[in-house]
Amino acid sequence: MSPKPVSRSTRRTRRPQHATIRDVARAVGASISTVSAALNGTDYVSAAMRAKIEAAVQQLQYRPNDLARGLRLRRTHTLAIVVPDLSNSFYAEIVRGMKDYTAAANYTVLVGDSRERWAEEKLFLEMLHRRRVDGVVRVPAGDGNASQAAQVLGTIPVVYADRYPEADHPVAAWVGVDNARAAMDATQYLISLGHRRIAIISGPTTTRTAAERLEGYQRALRAIGSMHKEYIRNGELDMAGGARQAIELLTQAKPPTAIFCANNTMTLGALEAIQQLGRACPREISLLGFDDFAWSTLLRPRLTMVRQPAREIGMTAGRMLIDTIEERTRNRATQTLPTQLMVRDSCAPPLRP
Amino acid sequence: MSPKPVSRSTRRTRRPQHATIRDVARAVGASISTVSAALNGTDYVSAAMRAKIEAAVQQLQYRPNDLARGLRLRRTHTLAIVVPDLSNSFYAEIVRGMKDYTAAANYTVLVGDSRERWAEEKLFLEMLHRRRVDGVVRVPAGDGNASQAAQVLGTIPVVYADRYPEADHPVAAWVGVDNARAAMDATQYLISLGHRRIAIISGPTTTRTAAERLEGYQRALRAIGSMHKEYIRNGELDMAGGARQAIELLTQAKPPTAIFCANNTMTLGALEAIQQLGRACPREISLLGFDDFAWSTLLRPRLTMVRQPAREIGMTAGRMLIDTIEERTRNRATQTLPTQLMVRDSCAPPLRP
DNA sequence: ACTCAAGCTCGAATCGTTTTGGCTGCCCGC
DNA sequence: GCGGGCAGCCAAAACGATTCGAGCTTGAGT
């Protein structure tokens, strides 16, 4: 009835173990406490003893065991960040920014990729809990359920980056950009070039950022009274999705003269589609993207895009996290960083038919 | 004389702590050992008790503390990988491959970026040692000193990926490609198109892979007796380096008709340079690169490149590492994976003057 | 001469797990 | 009526660090 107990006894291999603080203590004929005090500078230790300890540490190649340390201290000096897509350079850059900032404060960061799926994100968050990370920054997966995160993370501090947490939750710490504003500016730029038939390819509206960008686009078009339902598309955030929507848009009876893509991978997809259809960009069709990336100047045409300060978002998230962890501040502030429209070659006035 | 001891006492904030196994035990009126046995299925526990424990675990949101676990078990179920440049999609893909493979075996992986500097890599490796990771895969930084790694890592198992460790060390586990062969094949392809004045932009010869690729290139050209010193360049591995070398090559009296770039970022740099100089690629100058990347089909011309199976390299490295950790095997084998020449649009026969 | 503080060192408790060995019943076969 | 195996449970010893309190010398101040 009851299951046969499984013996965990992987044969106790005597792998030559690491030197411990006890080994150092023995080597210099001192007590463990003294060695600890010497290494951490946390109590008086004579110069002579200190020197002997230094020598022993060097000779034994002693390195403190951070597991034991973390257990005792209840602090691991580890942070984590989870993003929806690590191969997207936008998120990669956020991660890099956070790593750079927090490394200076002596934190390590674990990075996770949810692939836009809450199920995967949850697995990662549970792992973080077990490892007792000191804090985590989340760019929540796009398929909802973000509110369950508090459950699995318990009391571990969280900072949100880029995307909002669920609306019903009290907005915690957050850093990002004013998406509606940025999208409106971008759309107005296209309008100023003379475009009227402007399409948008947006992400699923379950992600707040996508919804906000759509909102900004609509506000700009409503202002000039030329918003048309058939030019509004949304779907998957990836390249294939962008390409498919672009093809649908361009092959309809009265195609748009400009396309605004609400993230970077969809922009690439749209560009691919345009080239496949043999349309000239920007002469026949203008393309404007979101989330700049490093090699966007290598493409032909060089893409005009809305640039988000990805690195700064990462660094700010790191800073906010560390601040709340070390209780330098308890303000659950939200930080809004500025965007920038990088005007390059992919947008031009529309053809006068 | 002796320094004033620094008090570490960050005020002992009573952050509401996590539930422990002891809490679970108390909740169900059992002993710690019983709870542990139940959770790990490592000893007989009655069905009734097991159920009560499950319930308590759920109710208290108990999650085992992996620090304590790792301390006791002397196993952290954590691996690490350190690469020279995370923003290079080639290495990013290796990392991704390793993560995917090892996640299935329930390992977490820490990833580090050495930026081609041993000093940075060393810092990272020291951190890994303190955290007692179970193993690490290294793509060693290009500036030598790789042999010191054994020192700082102690007895932690290592697998090398892509790049070789120093020659003087006994070659440990390694996975990568036959660089000399791949470079030779690529060069022969250019020869078969009719090129004779073929240049190479290679990396610093301190990295074995760069040296091998140069070697393969030379072998192919020597075979037809048209190797020329002035067509051999090496320098930094980044985009700017590639661009600079390409400009020097193309502006000399008798410029090459084809350029072979020994990694992906330098290839992008060369392409940029070619476009800046207004040379038509591939009509006037052919370009062949190394290390394919995802969006290479978006560039114009679509780049012809030698593809390395990055993902497989990462997965294989992960597998080898886990195998040696779990002592399924102790063969310090080396694995050579096949490359593939992705023929696209950036190479054409040379102009007949 | 007495007190007190500073300088130096140490023992023991603690952090949250796993694991070993032992203790209890109980049932079974003699 | 007894030995012994099995099921179920537990106490205590690790694992490797930090930290609290206390003990022991000195030297200075009174």
Side-chain angles (χ1 to χ4, degrees), chain A residues 98-291:
Chain A
M98 170 169 172
K99 273 197 175 176
D100 287 351
Y101 181 87
T102 57
N106 238 341
Y107 281 89
T108 332
V109 1
L110 308 182
V111 353
D113 184 343
S114 67
R115 301 174 202 223
E116 293 286 10
R117 288 197 296 261
W118 162 247
E120 287 221 33
E121 183 175 0
K122 185 179 179 192
L123 248 43
F124 185 67
L125 295 182
E126 280 169 342
M127 188 270 286
L128 298 182
H129 191 171
R130 287 197 307 269
R131 293 195 179 234
R132 301 296 191 267
V133 297
D134 291 341
V136 5
V137 357
R138 288 216 306 148
V139 183
D143 60 352
N145 302 39
S147 59
Q148 292 186 33
Q151 270 264 348
V152 5
L153 280 180
T155 62
I156 298 177
V158 176
V159 167
Y160 288 86
D162 184 42
R163 298 183 183 172
Y164 277 40
E166 300 277 277
D168 49 11
H169 251 290
V171 167
W174 171 83
V175 52
V177 303
D178 185 341
N179 287 289
R181 179 56 184 260
M184 193 175 76
D185 289 351
T187 309
Q188 279 172 345
Y189 168 69
L190 289 172
I191 292 173
S192 77
L193 286 178
H195 291 278
R196 288 302 175 269
R197 303 207 304 275
I198 302 175
I200 184 173
I201 304 179
S202 178
T205 46
T206 51
T207 64
R208 293 274 279 142
T209 49
E212 288 180 3
R213 287 170 201 174
L214 179 57
E215 166 67 22
Y217 157 89
Q218 287 176 315
R219 208 182 309 160
L221 283 184
R222 261 197 296 264
I224 60 162
S226 43
M227 214 194 66
H228 305 295
K229 273 261 169 29
E230 68 269 31
Y231 291 153
I232 297 180
R233 302 283 169 144
N234 42 27
E236 307 87 288
L237 288 160
D238 57 7
M239 218 167 119
R244 190 170 49 256
Q245 301 293 347
I247 288 178
E248 285 188 27
L249 281 170
L250 292 176
T251 54
Q252 62 189 14
K254 210 174 163 76
T257 61
I259 299 181
F260 172 39
C261 280
N263 88 343
N264 54 6
T265 47
M266 291 192 309
T267 309
L268 289 179
L271 177 61
E272 195 180 36
I274 289 171
Q275 290 175 339
Q276 244 171 42
L277 292 176
R279 303 292 216 285
C281 173
R283 213 175 56 87
E284 298 176 81
I285 175 80
S286 287
L287 183 60
L288 197 158
F290 217 103
D291 301 344

Side-chain angles (χ1 to χ4, degrees), chain B residues 3 51 74 93 101 113 125 138 187 216-217 240 249-250 261 305 311 314 339-340:
Chain B
R74 315 173 85 96
E93 196 59 22
Y101 181 88
D113 185 342
L125 296 182
R138 289 218 306 148
T187 310
Y217 157 88
L249 280 169
L250 292 176
C261 280
M305 301 193 91
R311 182 180 164 77
T339 58
Q340 198 178 356

Side-chain angles (χ1 to χ4, degrees), chain A residues 130-131, chain B residues 76-78 101-108 322:
Chain A
R130 287 197 307 269
R131 293 195 179 234
Chain B
T76 52
H77 262 268
T78 307
Y101 181 88
T102 58
N106 238 341
Y107 281 89
T108 333
I322 293 181

Side-chain angles (χ1 to χ4, degrees), chain B residues 159-176:
Chain B
V159 167
Y160 288 87
D162 183 43
R163 298 183 182 171
Y164 277 41
E166 300 277 278
D168 49 12
H169 252 289
V171 168
W174 172 82
V175 51

